[in-house]
mmCIF file of all heavy atoms in Angstrom:
data_model
loop_
_atom_site.group_PDB
_atom_site.id
_atom_site.type_symbol
_atom_site.label_atom_id
_atom_site.label_comp_id
_atom_site.label_asym_id
_atom_site.label_seq_id
_atom_site.Cartn_x
_atom_site.Cartn_y
_atom_site.Cartn_z
ATOM 1 N N ASP J 1 -58.477 -212.835 107.040
ATOM 2 C CA ASP J 1 -57.414 -212.755 106.013
ATOM 3 C C ASP J 1 -57.730 -211.643 104.993
ATOM 4 O O ASP J 1 -56.799 -210.921 104.597
ATOM 5 C CB ASP J 1 -57.352 -214.095 105.263
ATOM 6 C CG ASP J 1 -56.583 -215.157 106.059
ATOM 7 O OD1 ASP J 1 -55.773 -214.760 106.919
ATOM 8 O OD2 ASP J 1 -56.766 -216.310 105.746
ATOM 9 N N ALA J 2 -58.957 -211.486 104.657
ATOM 10 C CA ALA J 2 -59.340 -210.441 103.721
ATOM 11 C C ALA J 2 -59.107 -209.061 104.351
ATOM 12 O O ALA J 2 -58.703 -208.103 103.666
ATOM 13 C CB ALA J 2 -60.817 -210.589 103.315
ATOM 14 N N TYR J 3 -59.430 -208.867 105.641
ATOM 15 C CA TYR J 3 -59.238 -207.618 106.318
ATOM 16 C C TYR J 3 -57.761 -207.227 106.371
ATOM 17 O O TYR J 3 -57.436 -206.085 106.079
ATOM 18 C CB TYR J 3 -59.769 -207.734 107.697
ATOM 19 C CG TYR J 3 -59.647 -206.456 108.537
ATOM 20 C CD1 TYR J 3 -60.323 -205.283 108.161
ATOM 21 C CD2 TYR J 3 -58.844 -206.437 109.662
ATOM 22 C CE1 TYR J 3 -60.128 -204.122 108.904
ATOM 23 C CE2 TYR J 3 -58.694 -205.255 110.366
ATOM 24 C CZ TYR J 3 -59.318 -204.115 110.016
ATOM 25 O OH TYR J 3 -59.196 -202.923 110.712
ATOM 26 N N TYR J 4 -56.912 -208.205 106.671
ATOM 27 C CA TYR J 4 -55.471 -207.920 106.732
ATOM 28 C C TYR J 4 -54.843 -207.887 105.323
ATOM 29 O O TYR J 4 -53.692 -207.355 105.176
ATOM 30 C CB TYR J 4 -54.766 -208.979 107.531
ATOM 31 C CG TYR J 4 -54.837 -208.844 109.020
ATOM 32 C CD1 TYR J 4 -55.494 -209.725 109.847
ATOM 33 C CD2 TYR J 4 -54.054 -207.814 109.703
ATOM 34 C CE1 TYR J 4 -55.572 -209.582 111.241
ATOM 35 C CE2 TYR J 4 -54.121 -207.684 111.093
ATOM 36 C CZ TYR J 4 -54.831 -208.582 111.830
ATOM 37 O OH TYR J 4 -54.876 -208.467 113.197
ATOM 38 N N GLY J 5 -55.505 -208.473 104.367
ATOM 39 C CA GLY J 5 -54.826 -208.701 103.095
ATOM 40 C C GLY J 5 -53.637 -209.623 103.260
ATOM 41 O O GLY J 5 -52.571 -209.416 102.747
ATOM 42 N N THR J 6 -53.874 -210.679 104.058
ATOM 43 C CA THR J 6 -52.779 -211.567 104.453
ATOM 44 C C THR J 6 -52.051 -212.206 103.298
ATOM 45 O O THR J 6 -52.696 -212.864 102.441
ATOM 46 C CB THR J 6 -53.332 -212.683 105.334
ATOM 47 O OG1 THR J 6 -54.071 -212.127 106.457
ATOM 48 C CG2 THR J 6 -52.223 -213.579 105.910
ATOM 49 N N THR J 7 -50.733 -212.083 103.222
ATOM 50 C CA THR J 7 -49.916 -212.676 102.215
ATOM 51 C C THR J 7 -48.614 -213.178 102.850
ATOM 52 O O THR J 7 -48.190 -212.703 103.858
ATOM 53 C CB THR J 7 -49.477 -211.652 101.126
ATOM 54 O OG1 THR J 7 -48.888 -210.508 101.771
ATOM 55 C CG2 THR J 7 -50.724 -211.176 100.366
ATOM 56 N N LEU J 8 -48.051 -214.171 102.176
ATOM 57 C CA LEU J 8 -46.725 -214.701 102.572
ATOM 58 C C LEU J 8 -45.633 -213.902 101.884
ATOM 59 O O LEU J 8 -45.665 -213.734 100.652
ATOM 60 C CB LEU J 8 -46.618 -216.202 102.189
ATOM 61 C CG LEU J 8 -47.074 -217.239 103.214
ATOM 62 C CD1 LEU J 8 -47.008 -218.632 102.549
ATOM 63 C CD2 LEU J 8 -46.308 -217.205 104.475
ATOM 64 N N ASP J 9 -44.679 -213.382 102.661
ATOM 65 C CA ASP J 9 -43.572 -212.669 101.990
ATOM 66 C C ASP J 9 -42.494 -213.654 101.541
ATOM 67 O O ASP J 9 -42.672 -214.889 101.673
ATOM 68 C CB ASP J 9 -42.986 -211.592 102.926
ATOM 69 C CG ASP J 9 -42.305 -212.145 104.173
ATOM 70 O OD1 ASP J 9 -42.021 -213.370 104.226
ATOM 71 O OD2 ASP J 9 -42.058 -211.378 105.098
ATOM 72 N N THR J 10 -41.421 -213.159 101.026
ATOM 73 C CA THR J 10 -40.372 -214.071 100.448
ATOM 74 C C THR J 10 -39.652 -214.856 101.518
ATOM 75 O O THR J 10 -38.984 -215.855 101.211
ATOM 76 C CB THR J 10 -39.338 -213.213 99.657
ATOM 77 O OG1 THR J 10 -38.821 -212.210 100.537
ATOM 78 C CG2 THR J 10 -39.971 -212.555 98.446
ATOM 79 N N ASP J 11 -39.801 -214.449 102.773
ATOM 80 C CA ASP J 11 -39.203 -215.231 103.879
ATOM 81 C C ASP J 11 -40.163 -216.204 104.506
ATOM 82 O O ASP J 11 -39.890 -216.815 105.505
ATOM 83 C CB ASP J 11 -38.655 -214.226 104.940
ATOM 84 C CG ASP J 11 -37.571 -213.376 104.483
ATOM 85 O OD1 ASP J 11 -36.681 -213.892 103.743
ATOM 86 O OD2 ASP J 11 -37.552 -212.195 104.848
ATOM 87 N N GLY J 12 -41.346 -216.291 103.907
ATOM 88 C CA GLY J 12 -42.349 -217.244 104.444
ATOM 89 C C GLY J 12 -43.082 -216.745 105.657
ATOM 90 O O GLY J 12 -43.590 -217.548 106.449
ATOM 91 N N VAL J 13 -43.156 -215.419 105.867
ATOM 92 C CA VAL J 13 -43.787 -214.834 106.978
ATOM 93 C C VAL J 13 -45.099 -214.170 106.525
ATOM 94 O O VAL J 13 -45.180 -213.470 105.542
ATOM 95 C CB VAL J 13 -42.917 -213.723 107.618
ATOM 96 C CG1 VAL J 13 -43.646 -213.016 108.766
ATOM 97 C CG2 VAL J 13 -41.612 -214.367 108.139
ATOM 98 N N TYR J 14 -46.218 -214.461 107.272
ATOM 99 C CA TYR J 14 -47.495 -213.890 106.946
ATOM 100 C C TYR J 14 -47.433 -212.355 107.300
ATOM 101 O O TYR J 14 -47.080 -212.010 108.428
ATOM 102 C CB TYR J 14 -48.612 -214.524 107.698
ATOM 103 C CG TYR J 14 -48.925 -215.886 107.127
ATOM 104 C CD1 TYR J 14 -48.605 -217.081 107.819
ATOM 105 C CD2 TYR J 14 -49.599 -216.042 105.892
ATOM 106 C CE1 TYR J 14 -48.925 -218.322 107.328
ATOM 107 C CE2 TYR J 14 -49.928 -217.271 105.412
ATOM 108 C CZ TYR J 14 -49.582 -218.434 106.105
ATOM 109 O OH TYR J 14 -49.914 -219.661 105.606
ATOM 110 N N GLN J 15 -47.787 -211.527 106.325
ATOM 111 C CA GLN J 15 -47.748 -210.064 106.511
ATOM 112 C C GLN J 15 -49.129 -209.502 106.142
ATOM 113 O O GLN J 15 -49.951 -210.068 105.458
ATOM 114 C CB GLN J 15 -46.739 -209.481 105.539
ATOM 115 C CG GLN J 15 -45.292 -209.911 105.788
ATOM 116 C CD GLN J 15 -44.598 -209.107 106.868
ATOM 117 O OE1 GLN J 15 -45.218 -208.306 107.531
ATOM 118 N NE2 GLN J 15 -43.284 -209.292 107.002
ATOM 119 N N ALA J 16 -49.360 -208.340 106.695
ATOM 120 C CA ALA J 16 -50.544 -207.541 106.301
ATOM 121 C C ALA J 16 -50.220 -206.677 105.102
ATOM 122 O O ALA J 16 -49.133 -206.103 105.004
ATOM 123 C CB ALA J 16 -51.003 -206.666 107.466
ATOM 124 N N SER J 17 -51.151 -206.597 104.185
ATOM 125 C CA SER J 17 -50.917 -205.797 102.958
ATOM 126 C C SER J 17 -51.023 -204.336 103.227
ATOM 127 O O SER J 17 -51.900 -203.880 104.014
ATOM 128 C CB SER J 17 -51.976 -206.182 101.914
ATOM 129 O OG SER J 17 -51.952 -205.262 100.847
ATOM 130 N N PRO J 18 -50.139 -203.520 102.663
ATOM 131 C CA PRO J 18 -50.276 -202.067 102.848
ATOM 132 C C PRO J 18 -51.496 -201.480 102.155
ATOM 133 O O PRO J 18 -51.814 -200.327 102.413
ATOM 134 C CB PRO J 18 -48.969 -201.544 102.203
ATOM 135 C CG PRO J 18 -48.573 -202.625 101.227
ATOM 136 C CD PRO J 18 -48.997 -203.931 101.852
ATOM 137 N N ASP J 19 -52.179 -202.235 101.345
ATOM 138 C CA ASP J 19 -53.391 -201.779 100.613
ATOM 139 C C ASP J 19 -54.624 -202.421 101.292
ATOM 140 O O ASP J 19 -55.724 -202.278 100.699
ATOM 141 C CB ASP J 19 -53.309 -202.183 99.184
ATOM 142 C CG ASP J 19 -52.105 -201.577 98.455
ATOM 143 O OD1 ASP J 19 -51.801 -200.407 98.740
ATOM 144 O OD2 ASP J 19 -51.504 -202.272 97.647
ATOM 145 N N SER J 20 -54.520 -202.952 102.459
ATOM 146 C CA SER J 20 -55.656 -203.658 103.099
ATOM 147 C C SER J 20 -56.579 -202.694 103.871
ATOM 148 O O SER J 20 -56.142 -201.591 104.201
ATOM 149 C CB SER J 20 -55.118 -204.713 104.047
ATOM 150 O OG SER J 20 -54.423 -204.088 105.109
ATOM 151 N N PRO J 21 -57.795 -203.158 104.134
ATOM 152 C CA PRO J 21 -58.648 -202.369 105.023
ATOM 153 C C PRO J 21 -58.043 -202.123 106.414
ATOM 154 O O PRO J 21 -58.203 -201.084 107.005
ATOM 155 C CB PRO J 21 -59.933 -203.225 105.150
ATOM 156 C CG PRO J 21 -59.973 -204.001 103.917
ATOM 157 C CD PRO J 21 -58.518 -204.246 103.561
ATOM 158 N N TYR J 22 -57.260 -203.116 106.870
ATOM 159 C CA TYR J 22 -56.515 -202.998 108.170
ATOM 160 C C TYR J 22 -55.573 -201.792 108.106
ATOM 161 O O TYR J 22 -55.561 -200.964 108.973
ATOM 162 C CB TYR J 22 -55.719 -204.287 108.429
ATOM 163 C CG TYR J 22 -54.785 -204.257 109.555
ATOM 164 C CD1 TYR J 22 -55.208 -204.073 110.866
ATOM 165 C CD2 TYR J 22 -53.413 -204.394 109.372
ATOM 166 C CE1 TYR J 22 -54.358 -204.090 111.941
ATOM 167 C CE2 TYR J 22 -52.522 -204.463 110.421
ATOM 168 C CZ TYR J 22 -53.006 -204.272 111.702
ATOM 169 O OH TYR J 22 -52.115 -204.277 112.794
ATOM 170 N N ALA J 23 -54.799 -201.697 106.984
ATOM 171 C CA ALA J 23 -53.870 -200.608 106.855
ATOM 172 C C ALA J 23 -54.545 -199.274 106.782
ATOM 173 O O ALA J 23 -54.117 -198.239 107.315
ATOM 174 C CB ALA J 23 -52.944 -200.835 105.654
ATOM 175 N N ASP J 24 -55.700 -199.238 106.084
ATOM 176 C CA ASP J 24 -56.515 -198.032 106.010
ATOM 177 C C ASP J 24 -56.995 -197.548 107.349
ATOM 178 O O ASP J 24 -56.928 -196.352 107.723
ATOM 179 C CB ASP J 24 -57.663 -198.200 105.066
ATOM 180 C CG ASP J 24 -57.282 -198.353 103.604
ATOM 181 O OD1 ASP J 24 -56.156 -197.985 103.291
ATOM 182 O OD2 ASP J 24 -58.124 -198.861 102.800
ATOM 183 N N ASP J 25 -57.462 -198.517 108.185
ATOM 184 C CA ASP J 25 -57.935 -198.143 109.510
ATOM 185 C C ASP J 25 -56.847 -197.696 110.407
ATOM 186 O O ASP J 25 -56.990 -196.764 111.178
ATOM 187 C CB ASP J 25 -58.658 -199.383 110.127
ATOM 188 C CG ASP J 25 -60.048 -199.589 109.485
ATOM 189 O OD1 ASP J 25 -60.612 -198.688 108.913
ATOM 190 O OD2 ASP J 25 -60.494 -200.724 109.546
ATOM 191 N N LEU J 26 -55.653 -198.317 110.286
ATOM 192 C CA LEU J 26 -54.477 -197.869 111.067
ATOM 193 C C LEU J 26 -54.119 -196.442 110.705
ATOM 194 O O LEU J 26 -53.838 -195.623 111.552
ATOM 195 C CB LEU J 26 -53.304 -198.791 110.770
ATOM 196 C CG LEU J 26 -53.307 -200.143 111.437
ATOM 197 C CD1 LEU J 26 -52.196 -201.025 110.845
ATOM 198 C CD2 LEU J 26 -53.220 -200.065 112.955
ATOM 199 N N ALA J 27 -54.168 -196.147 109.407
ATOM 200 C CA ALA J 27 -53.762 -194.859 108.939
ATOM 201 C C ALA J 27 -54.695 -193.773 109.514
ATOM 202 O O ALA J 27 -54.244 -192.635 109.858
ATOM 203 C CB ALA J 27 -53.754 -194.774 107.400
ATOM 204 N N ARG J 28 -55.976 -194.053 109.614
ATOM 205 C CA ARG J 28 -56.907 -193.060 110.122
ATOM 206 C C ARG J 28 -56.611 -192.872 111.659
ATOM 207 O O ARG J 28 -56.696 -191.722 112.118
ATOM 208 C CB ARG J 28 -58.344 -193.574 109.935
ATOM 209 C CG ARG J 28 -58.842 -193.232 108.564
ATOM 210 C CD ARG J 28 -60.355 -193.588 108.463
ATOM 211 N NE ARG J 28 -60.566 -195.014 108.357
ATOM 212 C CZ ARG J 28 -60.623 -195.697 107.160
ATOM 213 N NH1 ARG J 28 -60.437 -194.991 106.024
ATOM 214 N NH2 ARG J 28 -60.829 -196.956 107.132
ATOM 215 N N ALA J 29 -56.349 -193.911 112.337
ATOM 216 C CA ALA J 29 -56.040 -193.791 113.800
ATOM 217 C C ALA J 29 -54.762 -193.019 113.971
ATOM 218 O O ALA J 29 -54.662 -192.142 114.839
ATOM 219 C CB ALA J 29 -55.926 -195.173 114.448
ATOM 220 N N ASP J 30 -53.711 -193.294 113.148
ATOM 221 C CA ASP J 30 -52.467 -192.606 113.305
ATOM 222 C C ASP J 30 -52.625 -191.115 112.977
ATOM 223 O O ASP J 30 -52.012 -190.259 113.628
ATOM 224 C CB ASP J 30 -51.436 -193.177 112.351
ATOM 225 C CG ASP J 30 -50.936 -194.588 112.806
ATOM 226 O OD1 ASP J 30 -51.270 -194.968 113.941
ATOM 227 O OD2 ASP J 30 -50.237 -195.232 112.096
ATOM 228 N N ALA J 31 -53.431 -190.779 111.981
ATOM 229 C CA ALA J 31 -53.654 -189.394 111.628
ATOM 230 C C ALA J 31 -54.314 -188.661 112.768
ATOM 231 O O ALA J 31 -53.927 -187.501 113.062
ATOM 232 C CB ALA J 31 -54.494 -189.288 110.361
ATOM 233 N N ALA J 32 -55.290 -189.273 113.435
ATOM 234 C CA ALA J 32 -55.953 -188.615 114.548
ATOM 235 C C ALA J 32 -55.001 -188.440 115.708
ATOM 236 O O ALA J 32 -54.963 -187.389 116.389
ATOM 237 C CB ALA J 32 -57.131 -189.487 114.992
ATOM 238 N N ALA J 33 -54.147 -189.439 115.977
ATOM 239 C CA ALA J 33 -53.155 -189.349 117.058
ATOM 240 C C ALA J 33 -52.139 -188.244 116.778
ATOM 241 O O ALA J 33 -51.722 -187.543 117.671
ATOM 242 C CB ALA J 33 -52.438 -190.693 117.228
ATOM 243 N N LYS J 34 -51.698 -188.100 115.502
ATOM 244 C CA LYS J 34 -50.753 -187.052 115.179
ATOM 245 C C LYS J 34 -51.325 -185.699 115.412
ATOM 246 O O LYS J 34 -50.639 -184.758 115.863
ATOM 247 C CB LYS J 34 -50.302 -187.237 113.734
ATOM 248 C CG LYS J 34 -49.325 -188.376 113.537
ATOM 249 C CD LYS J 34 -48.870 -188.466 112.091
ATOM 250 C CE LYS J 34 -47.849 -189.592 111.904
ATOM 251 N NZ LYS J 34 -47.414 -189.782 110.486
ATOM 252 N N LYS J 35 -52.603 -185.487 115.146
ATOM 253 C CA LYS J 35 -53.221 -184.207 115.409
ATOM 254 C C LYS J 35 -53.247 -183.927 116.916
ATOM 255 O O LYS J 35 -53.001 -182.804 117.362
ATOM 256 C CB LYS J 35 -54.697 -184.181 114.922
ATOM 257 C CG LYS J 35 -54.812 -184.171 113.393
ATOM 258 C CD LYS J 35 -56.225 -184.137 112.914
ATOM 259 C CE LYS J 35 -56.299 -184.031 111.412
ATOM 260 N NZ LYS J 35 -57.717 -184.042 110.951
ATOM 261 N N GLN J 36 -53.497 -184.950 117.730
ATOM 262 C CA GLN J 36 -53.394 -184.785 119.191
ATOM 263 C C GLN J 36 -51.972 -184.429 119.617
ATOM 264 O O GLN J 36 -51.808 -183.573 120.515
ATOM 265 C CB GLN J 36 -53.932 -186.040 119.878
ATOM 266 C CG GLN J 36 -53.800 -186.018 121.395
ATOM 267 C CD GLN J 36 -54.621 -184.986 122.069
ATOM 268 O OE1 GLN J 36 -55.287 -184.149 121.503
ATOM 269 N NE2 GLN J 36 -54.519 -184.966 123.429
ATOM 270 N N ILE J 37 -51.002 -185.072 119.028
ATOM 271 C CA ILE J 37 -49.589 -184.830 119.364
ATOM 272 C C ILE J 37 -49.261 -183.362 119.017
ATOM 273 O O ILE J 37 -48.613 -182.651 119.790
ATOM 274 C CB ILE J 37 -48.697 -185.801 118.637
ATOM 275 C CG1 ILE J 37 -48.819 -187.180 119.210
ATOM 276 C CG2 ILE J 37 -47.254 -185.269 118.687
ATOM 277 C CD1 ILE J 37 -48.121 -188.270 118.363
ATOM 278 N N ASP J 38 -49.747 -182.914 117.886
ATOM 279 C CA ASP J 38 -49.538 -181.500 117.503
ATOM 280 C C ASP J 38 -50.112 -180.527 118.498
ATOM 281 O O ASP J 38 -49.491 -179.586 118.850
ATOM 282 C CB ASP J 38 -50.081 -181.272 116.079
ATOM 283 C CG ASP J 38 -49.308 -181.962 114.994
ATOM 284 O OD1 ASP J 38 -48.167 -182.350 115.218
ATOM 285 O OD2 ASP J 38 -49.868 -182.146 113.892
ATOM 286 N N ARG J 39 -51.357 -180.834 118.861
ATOM 287 C CA ARG J 39 -52.046 -179.948 119.876
ATOM 288 C C ARG J 39 -51.294 -179.916 121.181
ATOM 289 O O ARG J 39 -51.064 -178.841 121.772
ATOM 290 C CB ARG J 39 -53.466 -180.396 120.110
ATOM 291 C CG ARG J 39 -54.414 -180.103 118.923
ATOM 292 C CD ARG J 39 -55.876 -180.328 119.376
ATOM 293 N NE ARG J 39 -56.149 -181.728 119.602
ATOM 294 C CZ ARG J 39 -56.626 -182.565 118.682
ATOM 295 N NH1 ARG J 39 -56.879 -182.148 117.428
ATOM 296 N NH2 ARG J 39 -56.879 -183.811 118.954
#
């Protein structure tokens, strides 16, 4: 839960926080993939 920053949204759905360690790790992976796409 801490890794995802798990929270309930207004519709009662568990979501990952955009400020979570999970989101940070995703952003790093996406940035690396975009560099490969550019190449």
Side-chain angles (χ1 to χ4, degrees):
D1 280 340
Y3 179 66
Y4 279 111
T6 306
T7 55
L8 272 174
D9 67 14
T10 55
D11 294 322
V13 176
Y14 287 107
Q15 298 274 10
S17 168
D19 301 319
S20 64
Y22 172 65
D24 290 343
D25 288 336
L26 286 171
R28 279 188 283 271
D30 287 352
K34 285 181 178 179
K35 288 182 180 179
Q36 173 65 358
I37 289 169
D38 290 342
R39 286 191 292 268

